[in-house]
C-alpha cells in the first residue's frame, strides 16, 4: 500500500512538473502609445484589426505530446504498482515457510503438499491467490496463522509467489 501511495505522489509531482514546463501561459503584450499622448508614453495592450487583444501562447502541443510520451514510457517501463513483488514473496517464503514446505512439500502432512495438484485438491477455495492468502493469514489444522506475523503486502507477495511456483515444483 505504501508503495502505491509513494508512486502515485511521484506521478502527480511529475505530471505537475511536466505541465509547468510545457503548459499554456499567456505573456502580456505591451505596446507604447503614440507619442502624441498627453502624458508622454502610455502602455496599453496591442489590439488587432477586430479590436481584440491577441494572445501569444507558449502552449505547444508537440512538446506536450513528447512529455506525455516520455511519462508513459517511464511508467510502462517499470513494474506495475499493484503487482505482487514475487522476489519479496520468495524471500518471505524462504524465511517463514521452508521449514515445513521446502520444495513444495509438506513435512508435517506429506500428502498435503503445496504443489498445484494438491492445492487444487485440498485448499479450501481452490487453487487461487485469494485462497492461498486466506490459508497463510488464518492458518488451518497444523499450519499456524501468519496474519499477526506478516503484513498484508507480505502475505499478498508470498501468496502470489506460491501460486506462480506451485506448478513448477516437481
Amino acid at each position: 500500500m505504501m508503495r502505491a501511495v509513494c508512486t502515485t505522489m511521484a506521478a502527480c509531482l511529475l505530471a505537475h512538473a511536466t505541465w509547468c514546463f510545457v503548459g499554456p501561459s499567456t505573456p502580456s503584450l505591451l505596446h507604447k502609445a503614440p507619442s502624441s499622448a498627453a502624458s508622454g508614453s502610455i502602455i496599453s495592450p496591442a489590439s488587432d484589426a477586430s479590436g481584440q487583444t491577441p494572445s501569444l501562447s507558449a502552449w505547444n502541443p508537440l512538446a506536450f505530446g513528447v512529455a506525455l510520451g516520455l511519462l508513459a514510457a517511464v511508467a510502462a517501463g517499470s513494474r506495475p504498482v499493484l503487482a505482487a513483488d514475487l522476489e519479496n514473496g520468495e524471500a518471505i517464503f524462504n524465511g517463514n515457510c521452508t521449514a515445513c514446505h521446502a520444495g513444495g512439500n509438506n513435512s508435517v502432512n506429506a500428502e498435503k503438499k503445496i504443489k498445484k495438484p494438491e492445492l487444487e485438491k485440498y485448499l479450501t477455495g481452490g487453487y487461487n491467490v485469494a485462497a492461498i492468502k486466506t490459508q497463510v493469514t488464518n492458518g488451518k489444522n497444523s499450519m499456524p496463522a501468519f496474519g499477526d506475523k506478516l503484513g498484508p503486502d507480505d502475505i499478498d507477495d508470498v501468496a502470489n509467489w506460491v501460486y506462480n511456483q506451485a506448478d513448477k515444483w516437481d
Side-chain angles (χ1 to χ4, degrees):
M1 182 67 179
M2 189 62 169
R3 275 184 281 172
V5 171
C6 290
T7 305
T8 302
M9 287 179 61
C12 289
L13 181 62
L14 184 61
H16 182 69
T18 302
W19 183 256
C20 291
F21 181 69
V22 295
S25 64
T26 306
S28 60
L29 296 176
L30 301 177
H31 178 71
K32 282 190 169 184
S35 58
S36 63
S39 65
S41 68
I42 299 175
I43 299 176
S44 65
S47 60
D48 60 8
S50 66
Q52 295 179 354
T53 304
S55 168
L56 289 181
S57 177
W59 175 253
N60 186 340
L62 180 62
F64 183 71
V66 168
L68 192 60
L70 288 172
L71 178 65
V74 168
S78 62
R79 291 186 288 183
V81 175
L82 299 177
D85 185 349
L86 296 180
E87 291 174 3
N88 183 49
E90 182 178 14
I92 296 295
F93 183 86
N94 289 335
N96 295 281
C97 310
T98 54
C100 298
H101 295 292
N105 295 310
N106 187 332
S107 64
V108 177
N109 188 346
E111 70 179 40
K112 293 188 177 181
K113 301 173 182 175
I114 57 172
K115 297 177 181 179
K116 185 176 178 180
E118 287 80 5
L119 288 175
E120 289 172 337
K121 184 176 181 182
Y122 296 113
L123 185 64
T124 303
Y127 176 63
N128 60 65
V129 174
I132 297 169
K133 284 170 57 173
T134 301
Q135 180 82 16
V136 171
T137 303
N138 302 323
K140 186 176 178 185
N141 298 330
S142 301
M143 181 172 166
F146 286 89
D148 294 335
K149 183 176 180 183
L150 301 174
D153 288 342
D154 290 338
I155 291 174
D156 186 51
D157 292 345
V158 76
N160 277 284
W161 187 81
V162 167
Y163 180 81
N164 288 319
Q165 187 66 29
D167 60 349
K168 296 175 185 159
W169 278 313
D170 292 328

